Amino acid sequence: MAIGLGTGWLLSKRLLAPLHTISEAAAKAADDDLTERVRARGPEDELKRLADTFDTMLTRLQRSFTAHQRFAANASHELLTPLATTRAALQVAADAPTGEELAELVPLLQETNERNISVVRALLDLAAADHAPFDPDPVDLSDLAERAAAARAGRAAARGVRLTVDTEPDCQVMGSGALLRQLDLNLLDNALTHNVPEAGLVHLAVVQDGARAVVEVDNTGPRVDDAVVDRLFEPFYRARPRVGSDRSGHGLGLAIVRSIATSHRGTVTATANPTGGLTLRVRIPKSPSHGARCEAVEGQAVRAPRGG
């Protein structure tokens, strides 16, 4: 009996050890320490699976909190810089309120104010894409893409970037036309902003891939490190340092794209092109009532040749 009790105690202690470790990790997580992991060893039983699931949850929480901290820091920087510029301009105007100097300061104040407005509007768009409910309607992605390209044709011409469109007709999804139009515009704005002036290319395509419609934007531009591709969807993230950036854009465009795609049960991916630039693909489930009307196309979108 003594041997049996001793053996049972040792076995129960060994089997329940992950629960003690999980309890300690949970206590540390409650104290804002998300670095602790269980790292259970042993057979693939229920306790080890529970410990592995707990480790996965802590890893995701740590990644999420780190992203939120970066978001808060970047948002503060993005809003503080134009506000500090406005304060300095107002101080100069107060010290020497002459008509000539006021005339020089007015354009600067207008520019900084417009930038603040654009950032706040982008934040509102991001919040709307994340939380605003909408009643889905049949939306033709091809029609939206063509209209978005027409809306950005003038900007592309001004930058000397050739914009081409390749769409399949009558390819519908269930969603919000306003949000999906914003998705197309943001994809094009990102492709035009981060491109090669006077010699760049942007190709917009809408194709079918089985049960999903794919919106693809391919652009030339600077080379993008594969290590930072996934971070491009973080709010206010820029591939180039903020100090050396020309401050074109505010770093929220692709974050809004991801939120809109997620709200439509879709996904968005980015791939760095070997010769420079990005290929962004948004996949959204097709409308069930129109899925049979669009033939599936194997492979990737047909691209316009880069040579001219």
Side-chain angles (χ1 to χ4, degrees):
M1 183 180 294
I3 294 174
L5 290 174
T7 303
W9 180 79
L10 290 175
L11 289 176
S12 63
K13 182 178 179 180
R14 179 178 179 182
L15 291 174
L16 296 179
L19 291 180
H20 178 69
T21 308
I22 292 175
S23 177
E24 291 182 345
K28 290 184 178 181
D31 294 332
D32 298 331
D33 182 7
L34 298 175
T35 60
E36 186 71 15
R37 297 292 184 273
V38 179
R39 297 185 178 88
R41 299 178 180 178
E44 290 292 335
D45 53 14
E46 296 294 335
L47 287 178
K48 186 175 186 305
R49 285 194 290 270
L50 174 63
D52 293 342
T53 302
F54 191 79
D55 284 347
T56 302
M57 181 190 69
L58 287 179
T59 300
R60 291 180 178 177
L61 283 174
Q62 184 179 20
R63 188 183 302 118
S64 177
F65 281 126
T66 301
H68 278 82
Q69 289 174 347
R70 286 197 298 263
F71 170 79
N74 293 337
S76 300
H77 183 276
E78 196 74 21
L79 292 171
L80 181 61
T81 299
L83 290 175
T85 302
T86 301
R87 182 180 63 181
L90 292 174
Q91 289 175 347
V92 171
D95 294 337
T98 64
E100 181 179 351
E101 293 186 353
L102 286 177
E104 294 178 356
L105 291 175
V106 166
L108 176 62
L109 291 174
Q110 289 178 336
E111 180 183 353
T112 54
N113 187 60
E114 287 298 324
R115 180 162 188 83
N116 279 332
I117 292 174
S118 68
V119 172
V120 172
R121 284 178 176 172
L123 287 172
L124 291 175
D125 290 339
L126 181 60
D130 278 333
H131 305 293
F134 60 89
D135 295 327
D137 294 318
V139 179
D140 190 345
L141 285 183
S142 296
D143 180 63
L144 284 181
E146 291 171 359
R147 286 191 288 169
R152 291 296 184 263
R155 182 181 176 188
R159 294 180 60 88
V161 176
R162 187 164 67 91
L163 175 59
T164 60
V165 184
D166 178 21
T167 63
E168 294 184 2
D170 193 28
C171 294
Q172 297 194 9
V173 299
M174 297 299 294
S176 166
L179 289 178
L180 291 173
R181 180 177 185 275
Q182 186 66 47
L183 180 144
D184 287 339
L185 292 175
N186 283 13
L187 288 174
L188 290 177
D189 287 340
N190 179 80
L192 292 172
T193 299
H194 306 286
N195 214 307
V196 182
E198 305 301 332
L201 296 173
V202 173
H203 181 63
L204 170 63
V206 178
V207 298
Q208 299 298 316
D209 184 11
R212 292 178 178 266
V214 181
V215 179
E216 178 180 285
V217 175
D218 181 21
N219 68 277
T220 56
R223 293 180 63 89
V224 181
D225 190 350
D226 291 333
V228 303
V229 167
D230 289 338
R231 292 192 60 190
L232 295 177
F233 298 100
E234 293 184 11
F236 294 112
Y237 179 77
R238 289 190 178 93
R240 290 177 294 175
R242 292 180 171 270
V243 176
S245 172
D246 59 1
R247 298 191 64 80
S248 57
H250 37 62
L252 285 172
L254 293 184
I256 294 173
V257 167
R258 182 177 62 179
S259 296
I260 294 175
T262 301
S263 68
H264 287 76
R265 298 180 294 113
T267 60
V268 56
T269 58
T271 305
N273 297 330
T275 58
L278 282 174
T279 298
L280 291 161
R281 295 185 182 92
V282 180
R283 293 177 170 85
I284 300 175
K286 292 187 298 186
S287 171
S289 60
H290 291 79
R293 298 171 60 183
C294 300
E295 295 181 355
V297 175
E298 300 294 337
Q300 303 299 328
V302 178
R303 306 179 193 277
R306 294 181 181 272

